[in-house]
Amino acid sequence: MEVERVQAIAILSKFMDTIPAEFIRSETEQPAITTVRGKVLEVPVIDLLRDEEEVVAAVAAAGAEWGLFQVVNHGIPEEVIGNLQRVGKEFFELPQEEKEVYAKPKEGKSMEGYGTKLQKEVEGKKGWVDHLFHKVWPPSAINYQFWPKNPPSYREANEAYTEKLRAVADKLFKWLSLGLGLDGHEVKAAVGGDDLEYMMKINYYPPCPRPDLALGVVAHTDMSTLTLLVPNEVPGLQVFKDDRWYDVKYIPNALIVHIGDQIEILSNGKYKAVLHRSTVSKDTTRMSWPVFLEPPPEHELGPIPKLIGDKNPPKYKTKKYKDYVYRKLNKLPQ
């Protein structure tokens, strides 16, 4: 195996009090030093069964102040979420050689597939996580070679979840649009409309002997439009608020919504992309299932024209989504 998976390193590290040097973060990043202790951040929780006007106001306020909120009564049955989580967990528990069948192609720029490294990191550092990426919508964008055949119900569970998730996403785009004083359809149209691509990612964070020194995923904002995420019950999401890192309170069966870079751009900065990271646990495996709502690669995004004028000039350049992604992954200025 050419690439060493974190899952394999975790097994070897289990009986030690050390981790390989490339996983030890600098002191400015180490969770033990940089996390506010004894306080769990209670980010906005929005009940989607409330009156729509109240939901619009709550979504707009959370998007502007936090860039992150949790939604409950979202209409995705517990059973559907449970099945998604079960098949993802079963995939990562397969023998290593079975998982490697789905490894990302060595050549090519596809994000899809099973892998470990994601973006360039300073000083060659690594996150304590393995992952699986594959598109789940629209049908024309799906490449089933990256969908595990085992467990056998993997495809069915992902399709059932995606169908329910799309309905939630459409409502969120509508509410974000209304929150900007636009017509309900305008934000979704600005990010690609029905050509919007849904990219599923499963994050697998195995137990880590030194969770005080390592991070699962480093501090970042998501480059897509929205991220809709369900975690397992092991806490690990942290948000940067008021110049400090805080743990986010876990709420069973809530959907966590992240505002991504493209929503910040098209809102001309009214909505903020949330800076977040993930920590790891000493004794238990953490997993999460984010779905990134990505514009088509050739789609151009910039501030929505109706939102800019003499008093509110554009704060961001308009560019194709693929160019934005390339620059972000390679740490080039936008």
Side-chain angles (χ1 to χ4, degrees):
M1 206 188 316
E2 287 181 32
V3 182
E4 198 165 17
R5 303 300 183 197
V6 175
Q7 205 169 351
I9 295 167
I11 292 166
L12 294 174
S13 305
K14 195 172 178 182
F15 303 107
M16 305 182 216
D17 188 36
T18 58
I19 52 175
E22 63 266 28
F23 292 99
I24 298 175
R25 311 309 306 192
S26 69
E27 288 194 1
T28 57
E29 291 182 288
Q30 288 175 16
I33 297 173
T34 56
T35 302
V36 174
R37 293 292 164 202
K39 181 173 180 186
V40 174
L41 207 58
E42 297 198 26
V43 304
V45 178
I46 301 173
D47 182 346
L48 300 192
L49 288 182
R50 283 161 59 186
D51 174 75
E52 188 173 49
E53 273 188 29
E54 290 178 33
V55 173
V56 169
V59 165
E65 186 189 341
W66 292 81
L68 176 98
F69 50 94
Q70 303 197 53
V71 295
V72 294
N73 290 321
H74 43 63
I76 307 178
E78 282 182 36
E79 180 188 12
V80 170
I81 292 174
N83 286 337
L84 175 83
Q85 293 177 318
R86 175 181 54 79
V87 297
K89 184 168 179 280
E90 287 175 7
F91 169 74
F92 276 93
E93 288 170 351
L94 291 173
Q96 194 60 39
E97 57 273 18
E98 265 196 77
K99 294 194 288 267
E100 293 296 341
V101 170
Y102 302 97
K104 293 182 185 186
K106 289 186 179 64
E107 301 303 322
K109 297 171 185 171
S110 173
M111 298 277 281
E112 293 187 271
Y114 171 66
T116 297
K117 190 168 181 244
L118 188 54
Q119 63 176 352
K120 284 187 178 178
E121 270 234 46
V122 286
E123 301 166 2
K125 295 291 183 188
K126 293 179 181 176
W128 193 266
V129 62
D130 293 326
H131 58 249
L132 175 68
F133 272 108
H134 58 76
K135 290 178 184 170
V136 292
W137 193 262
S140 58
I142 292 174
N143 186 342
Y144 287 112
Q145 81 177 71
F146 297 115
W147 289 48
K149 305 274 189 301
N150 193 8
S153 56
Y154 186 90
R155 177 168 170 174
E156 182 187 348
N158 274 263
E159 288 178 341
Y161 178 71
T162 301
E163 182 186 350
K164 297 291 185 187
L165 192 73
R166 286 173 52 227
V168 179
D170 281 348
K171 288 179 191 167
L172 288 167
F173 281 127
K174 176 188 174 187
W175 296 329
L176 287 165
S177 207
L178 294 172
L180 291 169
L182 301 170
D183 293 336
H185 70 280
E186 290 188 75
V187 163
K188 186 177 176 184
V191 297
D194 291 335
D195 294 325
L196 197 68
E197 296 180 354
Y198 285 55
M199 176 76 89
M200 167 69 75
K201 182 188 184 194
I202 307 177
N203 287 310
Y204 186 91
Y205 308 95
C208 176
R210 296 301 305 269
D212 54 325
L213 301 178
L215 285 172
V217 176
V218 296
H220 68 288
T221 58
D222 294 342
M223 54 195 169
S224 51
T225 63
L226 293 176
T227 305
L228 310 181
L229 177 150
V230 288
N232 70 351
E233 69 289 348
V234 181
L237 175 63
Q238 292 194 333
V239 166
F240 196 64
K241 184 92 171 116
D242 304 324
D243 296 326
R244 309 290 293 278
W245 284 105
Y246 291 91
D247 292 311
V248 172
K249 186 176 182 180
Y250 168 71
I251 299 174
N253 293 305
L255 201 60
I256 301 172
V257 181
H258 295 184
I259 301 287
D261 295 347
Q262 304 312 314
I263 293 288
E264 178 172 319
I265 289 166
L266 63 82
S267 73
N268 204 34
K270 179 174 179 186
Y271 296 137
K272 303 288 189 290
V274 62
L275 186 63
H276 59 288
R277 67 183 187 183
S278 51
T279 59
V280 291
S281 166
K282 184 161 188 168
D283 304 309
T284 45
T285 295
R286 180 171 187 262
M287 294 185 71
S288 65
W289 288 258
V291 176
F292 303 98
L293 309 189
E294 302 185 334
E298 298 290 337
H299 188 74
E300 288 198 345
L301 294 105
I304 292 175
K306 276 189 188 176
L307 300 177
I308 55 178
D310 293 341
K311 292 181 180 174
N312 189 22
K315 297 173 183 168
Y316 307 87
K317 294 176 185 170
T318 296
K319 59 170 74 75
K320 288 181 178 178
Y321 182 61
K322 68 175 186 182
D323 296 334
Y324 185 91
V325 169
Y326 176 82
R327 301 185 78 79
K328 180 142 182 173
L329 287 177
N330 289 285
K331 303 214 177 317
L332 299 170
Q334 294 288 354

